[in-house]
Amino acid sequence: MTHHFALNTAGKALNNAEKALIMVHGRGGNAEDILGLATHLNVGSYAILAPQATNHTWYPHSFIAPIEQNEPWLTSAIDIVDQSVKTATDAGITPKNIYFFGFSQGACLTLEYIARNAQQYGGAVAIIGGIIGEKINRRNYQGDFQQTPIFIGTSNPDFHVPIERVYATEKILNEMNADVTLKVYENFGHAINQEEIEWANKIF
């Protein structure tokens, strides 16, 4: 099974906006849920795009399962994010004015997408996530973020996302010339906290 491209939008119309925010929901969530979060973000002048996963999940297994177990869903999910980016660039929004926000499974997908497609973006916020795969295939991650600001927030421990993978993700993004801020919240739980929203708003 693969995803069909279903995009929910909020905020400014694409052709009237100078900036776009792509919001990627978590497993069991949906585009409307994550768009609701945008009311807490400094994105009043942005076009906001939230792709919807088929059956509310981007890929079936853990993000640290062997990649082939998550195919073809994973490749399809990455393509959906790419189509969301193309929707913005087709409307004349440059990559450096494109921003990302992902939570949980959506944070993993966001980090995987930008690491595979590194360039200067406006910025990215990933709450509880890391790059995808049982083992990290460093060859997948080339390119130069040109100091794109990336905020990663996570809880330690987190049932879904081991802290070691978060640190490994931070290291790779830094090696690719991203400006990474990582905040680890002890025993916070699998959720988004107010401080993370404040960090996000320093990027947006």
Side-chain angles (χ1 to χ4, degrees), residues 11-42:
K12 283 202 142 181
L14 267 174
N15 50 7
N16 291 334
E18 288 178 16
K19 295 181 176 183
L21 171 63
I22 295 167
M23 302 189 79
V24 190
H25 69 77
R27 189 191 298 265
N30 61 45
E32 284 173 22
D33 293 342
I34 199 132
L35 284 174
L37 255 180
T39 57
H40 301 285
L41 301 173
N42 294 336

Side-chain angles (χ1 to χ4, degrees), residues 20-24 74 77-82 84-85 95-96 98-102 105-127 129-132 138-152 169-170 172-181 203-204:
L21 171 63
I22 295 167
M23 302 189 79
V24 190
L74 177 59
I78 291 167
D79 185 56
I80 294 281
V81 179
D82 196 51
S84 302
V85 171
K96 69 176 192 290
I98 295 176
Y99 297 75
F100 299 86
F101 185 103
Q105 198 186 48
C108 297
L109 184 56
T110 296
L111 291 165
E112 184 70 16
Y113 175 81
I114 63 173
R116 289 190 188 198
N117 297 278
Q119 57 181 312
Q120 186 182 9
Y121 295 109
V125 175
I127 310 297
I131 55 178
I132 295 173
R138 188 66 180 79
R139 289 191 305 277
N140 285 341
Y141 313 119
Q142 309 293 332
D144 185 346
F145 279 113
Q146 298 173 58
Q147 289 293 293
T148 297
I150 300 174
F151 174 77
I152 302 173
T169 300
E170 175 193 30
I172 287 170
L173 296 173
N174 275 323
E175 286 170 3
M176 296 169 72
N177 194 24
D179 178 9
V180 183
T181 302
I203 290 179
F204 297 142

